[in-house]
Amino acid sequence: MSKGVNLKELSQRLNLSQTTVSRALNGYPEVSAETRKRVAEMADKLGYAPNSQARRLATGRSMAIGHVIPRSIHEMMNPIFLEFIAGAGETYSQHGYDMIISVVEDDREEDAYRQIASRKKADGVIIHGPAQDEHRHLLLKELNLPFVVHGRIPGAEKETSWIDMNNRRAFERATNLLLDLGHTRIALLNGLENMDFARRRRRGFEDALSARNLTPDAALVRSADMTEPYGCDSAMEMLNSDNPPTAFLVSSMISAIGVARAIGQCGLKTGKDVSIITHDDALSFLPNSGEVPIFTCTRSSVRYAGEKAADLLLNMIATPGAKPTSLHLDAELILGQSTGPAPTR
Amino acid sequence: MSKGVNLKELSQRLNLSQTTVSRALNGYPEVSAETRKRVAEMADKLGYAPNSQARRLATGRSMAIGHVIPRSIHEMMNPIFLEFIAGAGETYSQHGYDMIISVVEDDREEDAYRQIASRKKADGVIIHGPAQDEHRHLLLKELNLPFVVHGRIPGAEKETSWIDMNNRRAFERATNLLLDLGHTRIALLNGLENMDFARRRRRGFEDALSARNLTPDAALVRSADMTEPYGCDSAMEMLNSDNPPTAFLVSSMISAIGVARAIGQCGLKTGKDVSIITHDDALSFLPNSGEVPIFTCTRSSVRYAGEKAADLLLNMIATPGAKPTSLHLDAELILGQSTGPAPTR
DNA sequence: CCGGGCATCCAAACCGCTTTGGATTTCGCC
DNA sequence: GGCGAAATCCAAAGCGGTTTGGATGCCCGG
């Protein structure tokens, strides 16, 4: 349990060959039970742990998964990303994989992937935040680097492995709930709509409206980075307009908090005068739980998504030729305090 | 620019030895300018990139920095951590280092560090969130693994390298500001007080009070994980008590948002009836900027801290014997909309 | 008693790079 | 013209594992 012996010393101490010791430790069959035990004991007496670089070199597998994060604020700052990472990281360490994260300038993202492939830094990667004009998957295929998408790449659903929640359906259901409560002027504060998930959410919103012969009012639909001020400012303007909305559908808890602030500042009451439904990624520092959660929401744990994405990826790496697989998660629709019947004038 | 040649093939194509090619590419002097150029051209024509595992094995340096994150919610979920990582990650990639993150069960944290050391997974690590009864630094010294602390380890300030903001001073100044505005009943919503930073903040708060012969009211001081509901619930209870505070000093923007929500729900106005000063870590998804920021705050960019911590660590690794160094950052005190003179009854 | 089969174990090659310790050539200078 | 220094380049020895292709010894049936 200390100095750091290597395989050679260990095998000498045991009067065995490196081959045998290596096999004993790695569970190969051609070594007697007794020897294996002897080896194991000596190994932990001497605190032997194989040098990972050497092992990686010899096996040709780097035992690591890469996550490339463009430095741009649109991605890394995202607490959702953090939670995803936490989930994935757990899976990795359970399987002996390392997680390596590269924060790079936006214009060097492709370069980062190429490096991972050519220098064999990772055995696979995860694509975060697929956009409308996505291209990373093509590069990765060319590089022959296994990958899993968190989200979906429009037009490449069949040929890639991905995990995603049913964004369209979630927002359709949320919209329907509001409609059922009598709201007809519903605002949508969406995420950036060059992101695939945001498009799907908007589609769900629009589908629900048109199913009841309503059309969205362009003045009530916005799209931006999901910050708190975005929620507050947008809501403030809309509430002060001539024809204010009675309900808000918001893409993130953080912005929803902003909306609630705006509502309060206008002297109105959330869940009474104005309703809010938000999507809740179940971020651990923004709990929305309790008997009756603060916000009515569509909820889907992004941490869980991270775990599953990692599972998928590790499987792909273990069985190379396998067909792409994907996981479609459904969000729960949870009633909280932020919704109520549309106020009658 | 494709297949992935290795050094051997590259050198054969050039009719040079591996030695020479390696040296040419790594900028060693004992190779002619002409040869170097020839090598460089062929290298990028063939898309050569050294296999990192092999290089690491040969050099004995893993060119990676480790971050061990206990799975426990108290740490990883922390968006502050994310922002720190983003900063550090940038520095790493600028210097050709990888960042490897291990998410581990709480009781396997020590194990994770031992593995990093014995399997040579990283050349150094960063200690996050030093607590009151900190011990990781002792382990790391025993393991001979360079490290930098984000925060300070009480009692080990001289013998460790760290970067920290002046928590005590920041909260002292914030408290003084409130006192100057005439507030005397000031609540403190602190982070978990087994964390070093939280202790210092409380000290700053108490120092400022006692300098004016005031003593903190225990009913107005709390300590917990810095979530939104924590802020809201705490504020709600205090505001509804017999002797409510007129100002809140809050350890994080997220909780401060909760406090603001509570104030609104009580029908009061933030910045008028009740003041708030929060600490602002300058998280990118929680901007508190603008002409007059929403919250009056003490601000210190944790992203910047991440960059600097990485710098410190890389320096330590580059110059082994060097003395521990540290960086003490001062927070800015920024006036926003959330503070005003104490209301007169 | 002998040869095949099985259980064990080992020497050596290999993974792809860095680096040591020369070997060879070139060049300036006396 | 000869000689040492400087400039170039190379073969080979690591780095610390895994893995191939046997050896060796033992047991058993014929």
Side-chain angles (χ1 to χ4, degrees), chain B residues 62-121:
Chain B
S62 70
M63 295 302 285
I65 303 298
H67 293 252
V68 176
I69 314 300
R71 157 181 163 53
S72 125
I73 46 165
H74 296 323
E75 179 68 41
M76 179 54 170
M77 55 97 188
N78 205 325
I80 294 169
F81 168 76
L82 173 65
E83 200 82 20
F84 181 90
I85 283 297
E90 260 177 73
T91 301
Y92 296 153
S93 47
Q94 277 164 23
H95 293 76
Y97 273 74
D98 285 340
M99 169 165 72
I100 102 173
I101 296 192
S102 311
V103 182
V104 301
E105 291 303 325
D106 292 33
D107 59 345
R108 302 189 44 87
E109 196 178 349
E110 177 170 332
D111 214 63
Y113 285 117
R114 287 191 186 282
Q115 285 220 1
I116 288 177
S118 61
R119 322 179 90 113
K120 306 273 163 53
K121 285 191 168 190

Short mmCIF file of all heavy atoms in Angstrom, two decimals, chain B residues 62-121:
data_model
loop_
_atom_site.label_atom_id
_atom_site.label_comp_id
_atom_site.label_asym_id
_atom_site.label_seq_id
_atom_site.Cartn_x
_atom_site.Cartn_y
_atom_site.Cartn_z
N SER B 62 1.74 12.25 -17.24
CA SER B 62 0.46 11.87 -17.82
C SER B 62 -0.22 13.04 -18.53
O SER B 62 -1.20 12.88 -19.22
CB SER B 62 -0.47 11.30 -16.76
OG SER B 62 -0.86 12.33 -15.89
N MET B 63 0.32 14.23 -18.34
CA MET B 63 -0.24 15.40 -19.02
C MET B 63 -1.75 15.54 -18.76
O MET B 63 -2.51 15.81 -19.68
CB MET B 63 0.03 15.34 -20.52
CG MET B 63 1.49 15.42 -20.89
SD MET B 63 2.26 16.93 -20.29
CE MET B 63 1.61 18.14 -21.44
N ALA B 64 -2.13 15.30 -17.55
CA ALA B 64 -3.53 15.44 -17.20
C ALA B 64 -3.65 15.90 -15.76
O ALA B 64 -2.77 15.64 -14.94
CB ALA B 64 -4.26 14.11 -17.37
N ILE B 65 -4.71 16.63 -15.50
CA ILE B 65 -5.00 17.07 -14.13
C ILE B 65 -6.30 16.42 -13.69
O ILE B 65 -7.25 16.34 -14.47
CB ILE B 65 -5.16 18.60 -14.07
CG1 ILE B 65 -3.91 19.29 -14.60
CG2 ILE B 65 -5.46 19.03 -12.64
CD1 ILE B 65 -2.66 19.01 -13.81
N GLY B 66 -6.32 15.94 -12.47
CA GLY B 66 -7.50 15.25 -11.98
C GLY B 66 -8.38 16.13 -11.11
O GLY B 66 -7.89 16.99 -10.38
N HIS B 67 -9.67 15.91 -11.22
CA HIS B 67 -10.62 16.55 -10.32
C HIS B 67 -11.51 15.45 -9.75
O HIS B 67 -12.22 14.80 -10.51
CB HIS B 67 -11.49 17.56 -11.05
CG HIS B 67 -10.75 18.76 -11.57
ND1 HIS B 67 -10.88 20.01 -11.02
CD2 HIS B 67 -9.85 18.89 -12.57
CE1 HIS B 67 -10.10 20.86 -11.68
NE2 HIS B 67 -9.47 20.21 -12.64
N VAL B 68 -11.44 15.24 -8.48
CA VAL B 68 -12.24 14.18 -7.87
C VAL B 68 -13.50 14.80 -7.27
O VAL B 68 -13.42 15.69 -6.43
CB VAL B 68 -11.46 13.46 -6.77
CG1 VAL B 68 -12.34 12.43 -6.07
CG2 VAL B 68 -10.24 12.79 -7.37
N ILE B 69 -14.62 14.32 -7.71
CA ILE B 69 -15.88 14.88 -7.25
C ILE B 69 -16.70 13.82 -6.54
O ILE B 69 -17.14 12.86 -7.14
CB ILE B 69 -16.73 15.36 -8.43
CG1 ILE B 69 -15.86 16.16 -9.39
CG2 ILE B 69 -17.90 16.17 -7.95
CD1 ILE B 69 -15.25 17.36 -8.75
N PRO B 70 -16.89 14.00 -5.24
CA PRO B 70 -17.75 13.05 -4.54
C PRO B 70 -19.15 13.18 -5.10
O PRO B 70 -19.61 14.30 -5.37
CB PRO B 70 -17.71 13.50 -3.09
CG PRO B 70 -16.76 14.63 -3.01
CD PRO B 70 -16.45 15.08 -4.37
N ARG B 71 -19.77 12.07 -5.30
CA ARG B 71 -21.09 12.02 -5.92
C ARG B 71 -22.12 12.79 -5.10
O ARG B 71 -23.12 13.29 -5.64
CB ARG B 71 -21.45 10.55 -6.02
CG ARG B 71 -22.87 10.19 -6.12
CD ARG B 71 -22.94 8.66 -6.19
NE ARG B 71 -24.24 8.12 -5.89
CZ ARG B 71 -25.36 8.49 -6.48
NH1 ARG B 71 -25.34 9.43 -7.41
NH2 ARG B 71 -26.50 7.95 -6.15
N SER B 72 -21.85 12.89 -3.83
CA SER B 72 -22.76 13.59 -2.91
C SER B 72 -23.23 14.92 -3.49
O SER B 72 -22.46 15.69 -4.03
CB SER B 72 -22.04 13.84 -1.60
OG SER B 72 -22.09 15.19 -1.27
N ILE B 73 -24.50 15.16 -3.34
CA ILE B 73 -25.06 16.37 -3.91
C ILE B 73 -24.39 17.65 -3.45
O ILE B 73 -24.42 18.65 -4.12
CB ILE B 73 -26.56 16.49 -3.58
CG1 ILE B 73 -26.77 16.18 -2.10
CG2 ILE B 73 -27.36 15.56 -4.45
CD1 ILE B 73 -28.12 16.60 -1.61
N HIS B 74 -23.79 17.61 -2.29
CA HIS B 74 -23.24 18.85 -1.77
C HIS B 74 -22.13 19.42 -2.63
O HIS B 74 -21.73 20.55 -2.46
CB HIS B 74 -22.67 18.63 -0.36
CG HIS B 74 -23.74 18.26 0.60
ND1 HIS B 74 -25.00 18.81 0.53
CD2 HIS B 74 -23.76 17.39 1.62
CE1 HIS B 74 -25.75 18.29 1.48
NE2 HIS B 74 -25.02 17.43 2.15
N GLU B 75 -21.65 18.61 -3.53
CA GLU B 75 -20.51 19.11 -4.27
C GLU B 75 -20.79 19.24 -5.76
O GLU B 75 -20.81 20.30 -6.33
CB GLU B 75 -19.32 18.18 -4.04
CG GLU B 75 -18.07 18.58 -4.77
CD GLU B 75 -17.51 19.87 -4.22
OE1 GLU B 75 -17.51 20.03 -2.98
OE2 GLU B 75 -17.09 20.70 -5.01
N MET B 76 -21.08 18.10 -6.34
CA MET B 76 -21.07 18.09 -7.80
C MET B 76 -22.17 18.93 -8.40
O MET B 76 -22.00 19.56 -9.42
CB MET B 76 -21.22 16.67 -8.28
CG MET B 76 -21.26 16.57 -9.80
SD MET B 76 -19.84 17.38 -10.57
CE MET B 76 -20.01 16.82 -12.25
N MET B 77 -23.28 18.89 -7.78
CA MET B 77 -24.40 19.59 -8.33
C MET B 77 -24.13 21.09 -8.41
O MET B 77 -24.82 21.84 -9.05
CB MET B 77 -25.60 19.34 -7.43
CG MET B 77 -25.31 19.74 -5.99
SD MET B 77 -25.95 21.37 -5.69
CE MET B 77 -25.37 21.80 -4.13
N ASN B 78 -23.09 21.46 -7.74
CA ASN B 78 -22.81 22.86 -7.58
C ASN B 78 -22.44 23.55 -8.89
O ASN B 78 -21.42 23.27 -9.47
CB ASN B 78 -21.65 22.96 -6.61
CG ASN B 78 -21.65 24.27 -5.94
OD1 ASN B 78 -22.03 25.26 -6.56
ND2 ASN B 78 -21.25 24.30 -4.69
N PRO B 79 -23.25 24.48 -9.32
CA PRO B 79 -22.92 25.18 -10.55
C PRO B 79 -21.64 25.98 -10.43
O PRO B 79 -20.99 26.29 -11.43
CB PRO B 79 -24.12 26.10 -10.78
CG PRO B 79 -24.87 26.13 -9.52
CD PRO B 79 -24.53 24.90 -8.76
N ILE B 80 -21.28 26.28 -9.21
CA ILE B 80 -20.04 27.00 -9.00
C ILE B 80 -18.86 26.13 -9.42
O ILE B 80 -17.91 26.58 -10.04
CB ILE B 80 -19.89 27.40 -7.52
CG1 ILE B 80 -20.96 28.42 -7.18
CG2 ILE B 80 -18.51 27.93 -7.23
CD1 ILE B 80 -21.11 28.70 -5.72
N PHE B 81 -19.00 24.90 -9.10
CA PHE B 81 -17.97 23.95 -9.51
C PHE B 81 -17.81 23.95 -11.03
O PHE B 81 -16.71 23.96 -11.56
CB PHE B 81 -18.33 22.56 -9.01
CG PHE B 81 -17.49 21.48 -9.60
CD1 PHE B 81 -16.19 21.29 -9.17
CD2 PHE B 81 -17.99 20.67 -10.61
CE1 PHE B 81 -15.41 20.31 -9.73
CE2 PHE B 81 -17.22 19.69 -11.17
CZ PHE B 81 -15.92 19.50 -10.74
N LEU B 82 -18.95 23.93 -11.71
CA LEU B 82 -18.93 23.91 -13.17
C LEU B 82 -18.17 25.10 -13.73
O LEU B 82 -17.35 24.97 -14.62
CB LEU B 82 -20.36 23.92 -13.69
CG LEU B 82 -20.50 24.07 -15.20
CD1 LEU B 82 -19.92 22.87 -15.90
CD2 LEU B 82 -21.95 24.27 -15.57
N GLU B 83 -18.46 26.23 -13.19
CA GLU B 83 -17.84 27.44 -13.70
C GLU B 83 -16.33 27.43 -13.44
O GLU B 83 -15.54 27.85 -14.27
CB GLU B 83 -18.50 28.64 -13.03
CG GLU B 83 -18.33 29.93 -13.76
CD GLU B 83 -19.32 30.11 -14.90
OE1 GLU B 83 -20.38 29.45 -14.92
OE2 GLU B 83 -19.03 30.93 -15.79
N PHE B 84 -15.98 26.92 -12.30
CA PHE B 84 -14.56 26.80 -11.97
C PHE B 84 -13.85 25.90 -12.98
O PHE B 84 -12.79 26.23 -13.52
CB PHE B 84 -14.42 26.22 -10.56
CG PHE B 84 -13.00 26.09 -10.09
CD1 PHE B 84 -12.38 27.13 -9.42
CD2 PHE B 84 -12.29 24.93 -10.34
CE1 PHE B 84 -11.06 27.00 -8.99
CE2 PHE B 84 -10.97 24.80 -9.91
CZ PHE B 84 -10.36 25.84 -9.23
N ILE B 85 -14.47 24.76 -13.21
CA ILE B 85 -13.97 23.79 -14.17
C ILE B 85 -13.77 24.38 -15.56
O ILE B 85 -12.80 24.10 -16.24
CB ILE B 85 -15.01 22.65 -14.28
CG1 ILE B 85 -14.90 21.74 -13.08
CG2 ILE B 85 -14.85 21.86 -15.55
CD1 ILE B 85 -13.58 21.07 -13.03
N ALA B 86 -14.73 25.20 -15.94
CA ALA B 86 -14.66 25.82 -17.25
C ALA B 86 -13.40 26.68 -17.34
O ALA B 86 -12.67 26.62 -18.34
CB ALA B 86 -15.89 26.66 -17.51
N GLY B 87 -13.15 27.42 -16.30
CA GLY B 87 -11.96 28.25 -16.29
C GLY B 87 -10.69 27.42 -16.31
O GLY B 87 -9.80 27.64 -17.12
N ALA B 88 -10.64 26.45 -15.45
CA ALA B 88 -9.45 25.60 -15.36
C ALA B 88 -9.23 24.87 -16.69
O ALA B 88 -8.11 24.79 -17.19
CB ALA B 88 -9.60 24.60 -14.22
N GLY B 89 -10.31 24.37 -17.24
CA GLY B 89 -10.22 23.61 -18.48
C GLY B 89 -9.59 24.39 -19.60
O GLY B 89 -8.82 23.86 -20.40
N GLU B 90 -9.90 25.65 -19.64
CA GLU B 90 -9.30 26.48 -20.67
C GLU B 90 -7.79 26.54 -20.52
O GLU B 90 -7.06 26.36 -21.48
CB GLU B 90 -9.84 27.90 -20.53
CG GLU B 90 -10.93 28.20 -21.50
CD GLU B 90 -11.45 29.59 -21.24
OE1 GLU B 90 -10.75 30.56 -21.57
OE2 GLU B 90 -12.55 29.70 -20.66
N THR B 91 -7.36 26.80 -19.31
CA THR B 91 -5.92 26.85 -19.07
C THR B 91 -5.27 25.52 -19.44
O THR B 91 -4.23 25.48 -20.08
CB THR B 91 -5.64 27.17 -17.60
OG1 THR B 91 -6.23 28.42 -17.28
CG2 THR B 91 -4.15 27.24 -17.34
N TYR B 92 -5.89 24.45 -19.03
CA TYR B 92 -5.31 23.14 -19.34
C TYR B 92 -5.09 22.97 -20.83
O TYR B 92 -4.01 22.60 -21.27
CB TYR B 92 -6.23 22.01 -18.85
CG TYR B 92 -6.43 21.96 -17.37
CD1 TYR B 92 -7.58 21.42 -16.82
CD2 TYR B 92 -5.46 22.44 -16.50
CE1 TYR B 92 -7.79 21.37 -15.46
CE2 TYR B 92 -5.65 22.40 -15.13
CZ TYR B 92 -6.82 21.86 -14.61
OH TYR B 92 -7.01 21.81 -13.26
N SER B 93 -6.14 23.22 -21.59
CA SER B 93 -5.98 22.90 -23.01
C SER B 93 -4.98 23.83 -23.67
O SER B 93 -4.30 23.45 -24.61
CB SER B 93 -7.33 22.87 -23.74
OG SER B 93 -8.09 23.98 -23.43
N GLN B 94 -4.86 25.03 -23.13
CA GLN B 94 -3.84 25.91 -23.69
C GLN B 94 -2.43 25.35 -23.48
O GLN B 94 -1.51 25.65 -24.22
CB GLN B 94 -3.91 27.29 -23.03
CG GLN B 94 -4.96 28.19 -23.65
CD GLN B 94 -5.26 29.37 -22.73
OE1 GLN B 94 -4.42 29.75 -21.90
NE2 GLN B 94 -6.43 29.94 -22.88
N HIS B 95 -2.30 24.54 -22.46
CA HIS B 95 -0.98 23.99 -22.16
C HIS B 95 -0.87 22.52 -22.52
O HIS B 95 0.06 21.84 -22.09
CB HIS B 95 -0.64 24.18 -20.67
CG HIS B 95 -0.44 25.61 -20.30
ND1 HIS B 95 -1.50 26.48 -20.14
CD2 HIS B 95 0.69 26.34 -20.06
CE1 HIS B 95 -1.03 27.68 -19.81
NE2 HIS B 95 0.28 27.62 -19.76
N GLY B 96 -1.81 22.04 -23.27
CA GLY B 96 -1.74 20.65 -23.72
C GLY B 96 -2.07 19.63 -22.65
O GLY B 96 -1.74 18.45 -22.78
N TYR B 97 -2.73 20.08 -21.61
CA TYR B 97 -3.11 19.14 -20.55
C TYR B 97 -4.56 18.69 -20.73
O TYR B 97 -5.39 19.44 -21.22
CB TYR B 97 -2.96 19.79 -19.18
CG TYR B 97 -1.56 19.64 -18.61
CD1 TYR B 97 -0.51 20.39 -19.11
CD2 TYR B 97 -1.29 18.72 -17.59
CE1 TYR B 97 0.77 20.25 -18.60
CE2 TYR B 97 -0.03 18.58 -17.08
CZ TYR B 97 1.01 19.35 -17.58
OH TYR B 97 2.26 19.20 -17.08
N ASP B 98 -4.82 17.49 -20.30
CA ASP B 98 -6.19 17.01 -20.28
C ASP B 98 -6.76 17.21 -18.89
O ASP B 98 -6.03 17.25 -17.89
CB ASP B 98 -6.25 15.52 -20.62
CG ASP B 98 -6.04 15.28 -22.09
OD1 ASP B 98 -6.23 16.23 -22.87
OD2 ASP B 98 -5.68 14.16 -22.46
N MET B 99 -8.08 17.30 -18.84
CA MET B 99 -8.74 17.38 -17.54
C MET B 99 -9.51 16.10 -17.34
O MET B 99 -10.34 15.74 -18.17
CB MET B 99 -9.70 18.57 -17.54
CG MET B 99 -10.62 18.61 -16.36
SD MET B 99 -11.41 20.24 -16.20
CE MET B 99 -12.53 20.21 -17.58
N ILE B 100 -9.20 15.38 -16.29
CA ILE B 100 -9.99 14.19 -16.07
C ILE B 100 -10.77 14.32 -14.77
O ILE B 100 -10.26 14.78 -13.76
CB ILE B 100 -9.19 12.87 -16.15
CG1 ILE B 100 -8.88 12.33 -14.79
CG2 ILE B 100 -7.92 13.03 -16.94
CD1 ILE B 100 -8.25 10.97 -14.88
N ILE B 101 -12.05 14.00 -14.88
CA ILE B 101 -12.96 14.19 -13.76
C ILE B 101 -13.45 12.85 -13.28
O ILE B 101 -13.91 12.03 -14.07
CB ILE B 101 -14.14 15.06 -14.20
CG1 ILE B 101 -13.63 16.44 -14.56
CG2 ILE B 101 -15.21 15.11 -13.14
CD1 ILE B 101 -14.70 17.46 -14.74
N SER B 102 -13.31 12.59 -11.99
CA SER B 102 -13.82 11.34 -11.45
C SER B 102 -14.97 11.61 -10.50
O SER B 102 -14.81 12.29 -9.50
CB SER B 102 -12.74 10.60 -10.67
OG SER B 102 -11.56 10.52 -11.42
N VAL B 103 -16.11 11.09 -10.86
CA VAL B 103 -17.27 11.19 -9.98
C VAL B 103 -17.30 9.91 -9.16
O VAL B 103 -17.41 8.83 -9.71
CB VAL B 103 -18.56 11.30 -10.79
CG1 VAL B 103 -19.75 11.45 -9.87
CG2 VAL B 103 -18.48 12.45 -11.76
N VAL B 104 -17.15 10.03 -7.86
CA VAL B 104 -17.05 8.82 -7.04
C VAL B 104 -18.00 8.86 -5.85
O VAL B 104 -18.41 9.93 -5.40
CB VAL B 104 -15.62 8.63 -6.50
CG1 VAL B 104 -14.63 8.54 -7.63
CG2 VAL B 104 -15.25 9.77 -5.56
N GLU B 105 -18.31 7.70 -5.35
CA GLU B 105 -19.09 7.62 -4.11
C GLU B 105 -18.32 8.35 -3.03
O GLU B 105 -17.09 8.31 -3.00
CB GLU B 105 -19.28 6.16 -3.68
CG GLU B 105 -20.17 5.33 -4.58
CD GLU B 105 -21.55 5.93 -4.73
OE1 GLU B 105 -22.07 6.51 -3.74
OE2 GLU B 105 -22.12 5.85 -5.83
N ASP B 106 -19.04 8.95 -2.12
CA ASP B 106 -18.39 9.75 -1.09
C ASP B 106 -17.30 8.99 -0.34
O ASP B 106 -16.24 9.52 -0.04
CB ASP B 106 -19.43 10.24 -0.09
CG ASP B 106 -20.37 11.23 -0.73
OD1 ASP B 106 -20.65 11.09 -1.94
OD2 ASP B 106 -20.82 12.15 -0.03
N ASP B 107 -17.57 7.73 -0.05
CA ASP B 107 -16.61 6.99 0.77
C ASP B 107 -15.45 6.43 -0.05
O ASP B 107 -14.62 5.72 0.47
CB ASP B 107 -17.33 5.87 1.54
CG ASP B 107 -18.00 4.91 0.57
OD1 ASP B 107 -18.15 5.27 -0.62
OD2 ASP B 107 -18.39 3.82 1.00
N ARG B 108 -15.42 6.74 -1.32
CA ARG B 108 -14.32 6.23 -2.13
C ARG B 108 -13.44 7.36 -2.66
O ARG B 108 -12.66 7.19 -3.60
CB ARG B 108 -14.84 5.39 -3.28
CG ARG B 108 -15.68 4.20 -2.81
CD ARG B 108 -16.00 3.27 -3.96
NE ARG B 108 -14.84 3.05 -4.79
CZ ARG B 108 -13.93 2.11 -4.58
NH1 ARG B 108 -14.05 1.31 -3.56
NH2 ARG B 108 -12.92 1.97 -5.39
N GLU B 109 -13.57 8.48 -2.02
CA GLU B 109 -12.82 9.63 -2.48
C GLU B 109 -11.32 9.40 -2.29
O GLU B 109 -10.52 9.59 -3.20
CB GLU B 109 -13.26 10.86 -1.69
CG GLU B 109 -12.84 12.16 -2.32
CD GLU B 109 -13.34 13.36 -1.52
OE1 GLU B 109 -14.19 13.16 -0.61
OE2 GLU B 109 -12.89 14.47 -1.79
N GLU B 110 -10.97 8.96 -1.11
CA GLU B 110 -9.56 8.71 -0.83
C GLU B 110 -8.99 7.70 -1.82
O GLU B 110 -7.89 7.86 -2.36
CB GLU B 110 -9.41 8.16 0.59
CG GLU B 110 -7.98 7.80 0.91
CD GLU B 110 -7.78 7.50 2.38
OE1 GLU B 110 -8.53 8.04 3.22
OE2 GLU B 110 -6.85 6.72 2.69
N ASP B 111 -9.77 6.68 -2.06
CA ASP B 111 -9.39 5.66 -3.02
C ASP B 111 -9.09 6.25 -4.39
O ASP B 111 -8.13 5.88 -5.06
CB ASP B 111 -10.55 4.68 -3.14
CG ASP B 111 -10.06 3.28 -3.37
OD1 ASP B 111 -9.37 2.77 -2.47
OD2 ASP B 111 -10.35 2.74 -4.46
N ALA B 112 -9.94 7.17 -4.78
CA ALA B 112 -9.77 7.80 -6.08
C ALA B 112 -8.42 8.50 -6.16
O ALA B 112 -7.70 8.39 -7.15
CB ALA B 112 -10.90 8.78 -6.34
N TYR B 113 -8.07 9.21 -5.10
CA TYR B 113 -6.77 9.89 -5.10
C TYR B 113 -5.63 8.90 -5.15
O TYR B 113 -4.64 9.08 -5.86
CB TYR B 113 -6.64 10.79 -3.86
CG TYR B 113 -7.46 12.06 -3.96
CD1 TYR B 113 -8.49 12.31 -3.07
CD2 TYR B 113 -7.19 12.99 -4.95
CE1 TYR B 113 -9.23 13.47 -3.16
CE2 TYR B 113 -7.94 14.16 -5.05
CZ TYR B 113 -8.96 14.39 -4.15
OH TYR B 113 -9.69 15.54 -4.24
N ARG B 114 -5.77 7.83 -4.40
CA ARG B 114 -4.70 6.82 -4.40
C ARG B 114 -4.51 6.23 -5.79
O ARG B 114 -3.39 6.00 -6.24
CB ARG B 114 -5.04 5.70 -3.42
CG ARG B 114 -4.89 6.12 -1.96
CD ARG B 114 -4.97 4.90 -1.05
NE ARG B 114 -4.95 5.30 0.34
CZ ARG B 114 -3.85 5.67 1.00
NH1 ARG B 114 -2.69 5.67 0.37
NH2 ARG B 114 -3.92 6.05 2.26
N GLN B 115 -5.62 6.00 -6.45
CA GLN B 115 -5.53 5.45 -7.80
C GLN B 115 -4.85 6.42 -8.75
O GLN B 115 -4.01 6.03 -9.56
CB GLN B 115 -6.93 5.15 -8.32
CG GLN B 115 -7.52 3.92 -7.69
CD GLN B 115 -8.27 3.11 -8.72
OE1 GLN B 115 -8.33 3.46 -9.89
NE2 GLN B 115 -8.84 2.01 -8.27
N ILE B 116 -5.23 7.65 -8.64
CA ILE B 116 -4.62 8.64 -9.51
C ILE B 116 -3.11 8.62 -9.34
O ILE B 116 -2.35 8.67 -10.30
CB ILE B 116 -5.16 10.05 -9.21
CG1 ILE B 116 -6.61 10.14 -9.70
CG2 ILE B 116 -4.31 11.11 -9.87
CD1 ILE B 116 -7.27 11.45 -9.38
N ALA B 117 -2.70 8.51 -8.09
CA ALA B 117 -1.27 8.51 -7.81
C ALA B 117 -0.61 7.21 -8.27
O ALA B 117 0.38 7.22 -9.00
CB ALA B 117 -1.04 8.73 -6.33
N SER B 118 -1.16 6.10 -7.88
CA SER B 118 -0.45 4.85 -8.13
C SER B 118 -0.52 4.43 -9.59
O SER B 118 0.42 3.86 -10.12
CB SER B 118 -1.00 3.73 -7.23
OG SER B 118 -2.37 3.51 -7.48
N ARG B 119 -1.61 4.71 -10.25
CA ARG B 119 -1.69 4.33 -11.66
C ARG B 119 -1.22 5.46 -12.55
O ARG B 119 -1.36 5.40 -13.76
CB ARG B 119 -3.12 3.96 -12.03
CG ARG B 119 -3.85 3.19 -10.96
CD ARG B 119 -5.25 2.87 -11.41
NE ARG B 119 -5.28 1.61 -12.10
CZ ARG B 119 -5.89 0.52 -11.65
NH1 ARG B 119 -6.53 0.54 -10.51
NH2 ARG B 119 -5.86 -0.58 -12.33
N LYS B 120 -0.78 6.53 -11.92
CA LYS B 120 -0.25 7.67 -12.69
C LYS B 120 -1.26 8.23 -13.67
O LYS B 120 -0.96 8.47 -14.83
CB LYS B 120 1.02 7.23 -13.45
CG LYS B 120 2.07 6.61 -12.60
CD LYS B 120 2.97 7.68 -12.01
CE LYS B 120 3.77 7.17 -10.84
NZ LYS B 120 4.52 5.93 -11.14
N LYS B 121 -2.46 8.44 -13.18
CA LYS B 121 -3.49 8.94 -14.08
C LYS B 121 -3.38 10.43 -14.30
O LYS B 121 -3.83 10.95 -15.31
CB LYS B 121 -4.88 8.62 -13.50
CG LYS B 121 -5.26 7.18 -13.64
CD LYS B 121 -6.73 7.01 -13.31
CE LYS B 121 -7.22 5.63 -13.71
NZ LYS B 121 -8.68 5.53 -13.61
#
